[in-house]
Amino acid sequence: MDKINGISEKTLLIGEKAESSVFEVFKKIDKVAFANQLKVQNAFTAARVSAAHFAETSGYGYDDESREAIDKVYAESFGAEAALVRANFVSGTHALSTMLFAVLRPGDTLLAATGAPYDTLRGVIRGGKSSLSAFGVGYDEVPLKDGTPDKEGIKRALENKSIKAALIQRSKGYDFRPSMTVSDIGELIKFIKSIRSDVLVLVDNCYGEFVEETEPTALGADLMAGSLIKNPGGGLAPTGGYIAGKRELVSLAADALLAPGIGTECGCNYGMAKAMFQGFYMAPHAVAQALKTAVFCAAVMRELGYEVSPEPDGARSDIIEAVKLGSREKVIAFCEGIQSASPVDSFVAPVPWAMPGYNDEVIMAAGAFNQGASIEISADAPMREPFAVYMQGGLTYESGKLAVLRAAEKIMQM
Ligand SMILES: *Cc1c(COP(=O)(O)O)cnc(C)c1O
């Protein structure tokens, strides 16, 4: 590699070696991206997307044509009956919370089938006066066993007839474990339905979209949800979320997001329609760039002697690369390196803080065009053992690679 300002010869050599070792992995990533691009193209054609769909609407948005079209594009691409894609979702947590409140009623129980859900969902499920528990919705949890679903435990838990829905989390979140592949998820859905065909299966699909050629809704998930400032927004959608799945349930989700009776008939697009369509169109490629960045990060950090998950050539179902750094100082140094190679706020130093919704202090390197967008290069970590950092994103492989080299350099200097 040519000289790069502030990066030592040694780090560059490691980078070079790492990159040449993952050539075949990159080829596989390109193949998946092409398959997904084809799906997205077909969905745009089927929905007859035209310039009329990009018009800004205001007020009630009764005349808004973008809603139905973007919903169709998502549904078709994800192998789902229907989808609800809205700028009104303020985050992934909001979309997931809406999905849960849409289907659960007093007396029902939610079963977390893949262990404790993502940190921000804990407050949705239990605790405050607005949580599911305050509305009389019960909760049960079957922890993972050796990093995989505990089928015996799930079977036992399903004997509780009040269980109305099972939640599966695709991504590893802040756990140092393999993410669930879509085929693993498909198998778990089948297993749950074989025991209790009446139980709805809900998937937290955050970070997973377009990493593989299939999405959980194509394999029988009743609903799944995710964030538009992660994979499916392609880096262009300024905000938003989606819920996709069975038509009847998506309709309940629209009621839960807006108001019963309004459903999908109302809501303006705030001028964001074009960015949502274009972002989704770019998403298969953006995800491929993020995956290459993750693979490069894995190869470099393993070369430096750290445990990584997944391995450079390991199976991937989300865009996250976890690196076990082992100390608070190293986590901070890694995040500083990533932040320094971000387009926005590259001059600031990230520090751990008590973020709303999280139990531990969290550090976040996030210098994104869309604030907090983790399809753009970012790294974060809860400040707890084993001091693993979670890196994701990179709108272009080149920018991602530079960020990883900067992070590696910071670690090398310690
Ligand atoms: C990011 C994420 C969420 C929450 O999304 P926010 O947009 O940060 O609220 C939920 N689950 C998983 C697995 C995530 O990665």
Side-chain angles (χ1 to χ4, degrees):
M1 271 179 218
D2 293 332
K3 273 199 183 323
I4 305 174
N5 229 353
I7 294 176
S8 66
E9 202 78 16
K10 202 167 162 204
T11 305
L12 283 178
L13 272 173
I14 287 169
E16 203 159 318
K17 188 170 163 206
E19 191 174 56
S20 58
S21 73
V22 293
F23 185 66
E24 288 300 319
V25 184
F26 281 15
K27 278 212 298 205
K28 277 189 203 150
I29 291 170
D30 288 334
K31 219 173 137 212
V32 173
F34 186 76
N36 282 325
Q37 195 64 52
L38 187 62
K39 274 196 296 186
V40 169
Q41 179 60 54
N42 289 340
F44 269 66
T45 305
R48 300 175 66 84
V49 175
S50 72
H53 294 123
F54 307 151
E56 177 165 354
T57 58
S58 62
Y60 295 130
Y62 287 138
D63 51 352
D64 188 311
E65 292 181 33
S66 68
R67 282 193 314 265
E68 202 181 324
I70 193 78
D71 289 351
K72 262 193 184 158
V73 165
Y74 266 65
E76 179 93 10
S77 303
F78 290 166
E81 285 177 16
L84 180 74
V85 187
R86 292 294 182 276
N88 307 88
F89 288 115
V90 301
S91 66
T93 303
H94 184 200
L96 289 158
S97 172
T98 304
M99 172 174 82
L100 296 175
F101 276 96
V103 300
L104 293 159
R105 296 291 178 271
D108 290 342
T109 295
L110 172 68
L111 175 68
T114 52
Y118 191 75
D119 290 49
T120 59
L121 286 183
R122 292 173 199 175
V124 172
I125 292 166
R126 273 187 297 199
K129 286 185 177 167
S130 305
S131 67
L132 284 166
S133 63
F135 285 87
V137 173
Y139 176 70
D140 192 10
E141 183 178 295
V142 179
L144 293 172
K145 208 170 158 187
D146 307 319
T148 59
D150 172 8
K151 287 195 171 167
E152 277 311 305
I154 292 170
K155 192 172 173 186
R156 243 177 289 123
L158 286 171
E159 285 170 12
N160 174 355
K161 293 295 173 218
S162 76
I163 288 175
K164 168 79 170 295
L167 179 66
I168 296 174
Q169 183 177 307
R170 176 170 176 179
S171 162
K172 62 169 72 65
Y174 282 146
D175 284 323
F176 200 85
R177 56 128 171 136
S179 299
M180 285 190 76
T181 64
V182 176
S183 97
D184 290 342
I185 292 174
E187 208 175 287
L188 184 54
I189 293 171
K190 241 193 213 161
F191 178 75
I192 291 169
K193 299 271 185 188
S194 75
I195 299 165
R196 288 273 307 277
S197 59
D198 59 320
V199 167
L200 300 173
V201 180
L202 315 176
V203 177
D204 175 350
N205 204 36
C206 280
Y207 282 137
E209 301 86 359
F210 295 130
V211 172
E212 299 185 64
E213 290 182 28
T214 314
E215 300 297 334
T217 35
L219 297 183
D222 293 287
L223 283 179
M224 66 180 190
S227 164
L228 264 54
I229 58 167
K230 292 180 179 174
N231 307 14
L236 295 180
T239 187
Y242 77 88
I243 296 175
K246 301 274 157 62
R247 189 173 305 282
E248 198 185 328
L249 302 176
V250 170
S251 163
L252 291 178
D255 287 346
L257 170 66
L258 301 168
I262 290 180
T264 55
E265 301 300 315
C266 204
C268 66
N269 64 30
Y270 309 95
M272 290 182 201
K274 185 172 157 217
M276 278 169 140
F277 281 103
Q278 196 177 357
F280 195 68
Y281 192 75
M282 297 292 293
H285 181 71
V287 169
Q289 300 295 292
L291 286 171
K292 286 179 183 179
T293 302
V295 168
F296 179 67
C297 177
V300 167
M301 296 312 289
R302 198 178 62 170
E303 192 66 30
L304 291 182
Y306 296 98
E307 196 183 331
V308 296
S309 174
E311 292 289 320
D313 60 353
R316 280 171 199 274
S317 186
D318 64 27
I319 60 171
I320 302 176
E321 187 62 43
V323 184
K324 215 182 263 186
L325 291 169
S327 81
R328 181 183 170 94
E329 293 70 33
K330 283 183 181 172
V331 166
I332 294 172
F334 187 96
C335 290
E336 283 174 354
I338 297 288
Q339 182 80 33
S340 75
S342 304
V344 178
D345 292 337
S346 59
F347 50 89
V348 307
V351 289
W353 64 298
M355 233 177 108
Y358 294 85
N359 290 330
D360 300 276
E361 273 193 319
V362 176
I363 185 168
M364 292 203 165
F369 288 102
N370 291 315
Q371 197 247 310
S374 40
I375 184 64
E376 302 185 43
I377 191 75
S378 52
D380 38 66
M383 285 299 176
R384 62 182 180 227
E385 292 286 349
F387 291 100
V389 72
Y390 299 82
M391 192 223 66
Q392 58 274 315
L395 283 176
T396 64
Y397 171 59
E398 295 75 21
S399 63
K401 176 172 147 182
L402 181 60
V404 170
L405 288 172
R406 286 269 178 89
E409 178 68 26
K410 281 272 184 191
I411 300 282
M412 295 274 281
Q413 282 171 4
M414 292 185 80

